[in-house]
Amino acid sequence: MTKDLIRFENEDFPISFKPAEVDFPNAAALENKVDDLVKGWDTYVVTPESYPYDKKTKAELNHIRKALNDRRKEITKEANQPIDDFTALIKRLDLKIKNAVDHINEGIKVFDEKARKDKRQQNLIRLGEIATEYGVALPKLEYNPKWDNKSTSWKTIEEEARQQFEAIVEQEKAGKEARQVVINKVSDYKLIMTTDPYLEMLDYKSLPEVLTQIDNDHKHLVEQAKQQEEDRKKAVQALELHGDKYINTETGEVVSNLTSVGLKFTDKSQKITELLRYIEAKHVNCEALGNEQISVEFKFIDNTRKIAGLSEYIKQKQINYEVIEEERTSK
């Protein structure tokens, strides 16, 4: 059987081949011989008396097996030799062509890469114009590497990019609205609360979750303020100011003179500003202990009457505070 292996530069390279043939006229006779040889051995039982004879028979059978297989291998190898030679030739030719292709491909890659970079640069310029149109920062766009391919048209790139920009605009709009809702929610409460932590929560929590957190925190602050006020009332319930001294209303005993008190104020900045004006107007001696984002701390050092007056002012203006330290003289 003759066929063309390949047509190369208008020249045919014919090749002839046919299936391998093995002339084995006595195959059936050999198979019959083997059948007779192995007949009955599948039910045979080895006994102590037959053991020597069985070992000898086993060796003879294995010898025949080896002879058959050795000859099979020799014939197969000889029959396959033309195929092996042909396979080796084609692989050798293929490798030579592949080496040439790889070398050319390296040079082509340089130009292809430059073309990709140039196209990316042009894409970024045009995408930047679209980003400006939407009012979105270009880095927020997720650039698809496939856009650099020669086969990707600008129409496809623009359509995909606009879909992203529209989604970004909607996301930013929703984000601004959520931030404003949080700001309004916090400002609606009278107790001082800062918006910053809740605005940061929007990065990893949904708006309903953040609003629930605000409600819970406000509830906690209200309960805390209520408890502080109750504690303050209990502390002064049995005391009454007479001159510069506190008197126990039940026993009439002089309890102590209050010489200094440290207070931490947590309230709106307007109330804190008015408090500072009062301190300045009444010439109450004090020193600052701390100034945090949502609280200020002062230590008031003066006679008991001035401190008592300050206490009444704080109570009248309903300024949130807590006592952090006190110093008294004994009676």
Side-chain angles (χ1 to χ4, degrees):
M1 183 181 297
T2 303
K3 287 187 177 181
D4 291 337
L5 172 63
I6 188 174
R7 187 173 180 80
F8 182 60
E9 292 184 348
N10 297 322
E11 182 179 357
D12 293 332
F13 292 85
I15 182 171
S16 297
F17 64 93
K18 59 183 178 179
E21 294 182 1
V22 178
D23 187 11
F24 191 4
N26 296 328
L30 177 61
E31 186 170 6
N32 291 332
K33 194 79 173 178
V34 171
D35 288 342
D36 292 339
L37 186 64
V38 300
K39 185 177 181 180
W41 287 105
D42 55 339
T43 58
Y44 180 79
V45 177
V46 177
T47 64
E49 293 77 11
S50 66
Y51 176 80
Y53 169 77
D54 294 336
K55 285 193 66 176
K56 182 179 178 182
T57 302
K58 170 189 166 186
E60 292 174 349
L61 291 173
N62 280 332
H63 178 75
I64 295 173
R65 285 186 63 208
K66 185 175 183 303
L68 287 172
N69 278 292
D70 288 347
R71 187 56 180 152
R72 172 186 60 80
K73 292 177 182 179
E74 293 174 4
I75 294 173
T76 301
K77 181 178 179 182
E78 185 176 350
N80 286 341
Q81 190 60 50
I83 299 298
D84 293 341
D85 294 343
F86 174 73
T87 300
L89 170 64
I90 298 303
K91 286 185 177 181
R92 187 166 65 251
L93 298 178
D94 175 72
L95 180 59
K96 291 180 179 181
I97 298 173
K98 179 182 179 299
N99 290 338
V101 170
D102 290 345
H103 180 74
I104 296 171
N105 192 47
E106 289 300 319
I108 291 175
K109 280 184 179 179
V110 175
F111 289 92
D112 286 346
E113 186 61 28
K114 183 179 184 304
R116 287 177 62 84
K117 289 182 179 179
D118 290 344
K119 185 174 183 181
R120 174 181 282 253
Q121 187 63 32
Q122 292 299 317
N123 287 343
L124 290 174
I125 293 174
R126 300 175 75 175
L127 290 172
E129 295 172 354
I130 299 177
T132 302
E133 176 185 335
Y134 282 91
V136 175
L138 182 58
K140 292 186 177 181
L141 177 72
E142 184 176 350
Y143 192 92
N144 189 342
K146 292 183 179 179
W147 294 347
D148 295 338
N149 295 340
K150 291 181 180 180
S151 57
T152 306
S153 67
W154 169 249
K155 180 181 179 181
T156 299
I157 297 172
E158 183 178 6
E159 289 177 354
E160 294 180 3
R162 285 189 180 276
Q163 290 176 1
Q164 283 197 50
F165 282 128
E166 289 171 3
I168 293 170
V169 168
E170 289 299 319
Q171 185 178 9
E172 290 183 346
K173 180 181 178 182
K176 289 179 181 178
E177 292 175 352
R179 289 174 65 86
Q180 191 59 50
V181 169
V182 168
I183 293 172
N184 293 341
K185 181 78 170 179
V186 173
S187 64
D188 285 343
Y189 288 127
K190 293 182 180 180
L191 287 179
I192 185 166
M193 298 175 70
T194 180
T195 59
D196 291 345
Y198 304 108
L199 294 178
E200 292 176 359
M201 284 184 191
L202 289 173
D203 293 335
Y204 54 89
K205 286 187 177 182
S206 65
L207 177 59
E209 290 176 322
V210 175
L211 295 179
T212 299
Q213 185 67 50
I214 295 174
D215 289 335
N216 292 339
D217 290 348
H218 177 259
K219 180 180 179 181
H220 173 72
L221 290 174
V222 170
E223 293 175 351
Q224 186 181 58
K226 182 179 179 181
Q227 185 62 46
Q228 290 174 353
E229 179 62 19
E230 290 177 356
D231 293 343
R232 185 189 68 81
K233 288 180 179 179
K234 289 179 182 179
V236 300
Q237 185 175 8
L239 301 179
E240 185 176 298
L241 180 63
H242 289 270
D244 289 345
K245 299 178 180 179
Y246 278 107
I247 306 296
N248 189 305
T249 57
E250 296 179 357
T251 64
E253 179 185 8
V254 177
V255 179
S256 66
N257 291 330
L258 185 64
T259 58
S260 70
V261 60
L263 301 178
K264 181 178 181 179
F265 299 99
T266 54
D267 215 318
K268 295 182 178 180
S269 58
Q270 182 179 355
K271 287 187 177 183
I272 301 299
T273 301
E274 293 176 355
L275 172 64
L276 295 176
R277 291 175 181 170
Y278 173 87
I279 293 172
E280 183 178 0
K282 296 298 183 179
H283 303 291
V284 182
N285 293 327
C286 65
E287 62 182 59
L289 297 179
N291 187 356
E292 301 178 5
Q293 187 174 1
I294 60 172
S295 66
V296 291
E297 298 178 8
F298 287 103
K299 181 177 182 180
F300 298 96
I301 309 168
D302 218 317
N303 60 55
T304 307
R305 183 179 296 278
K306 283 189 177 182
I307 295 179
L310 174 65
S311 177
E312 289 300 321
Y313 175 83
I314 294 172
K315 181 179 179 181
Q316 178 185 355
K317 296 295 184 179
Q318 297 182 339
I319 302 175
N320 294 318
Y321 75 95
E322 61 179 290
V323 178
I324 55 178
E325 64 175 72
E326 283 186 355
E327 291 184 9
R328 302 175 181 272
T329 58
S330 59
K331 60 181 181 178

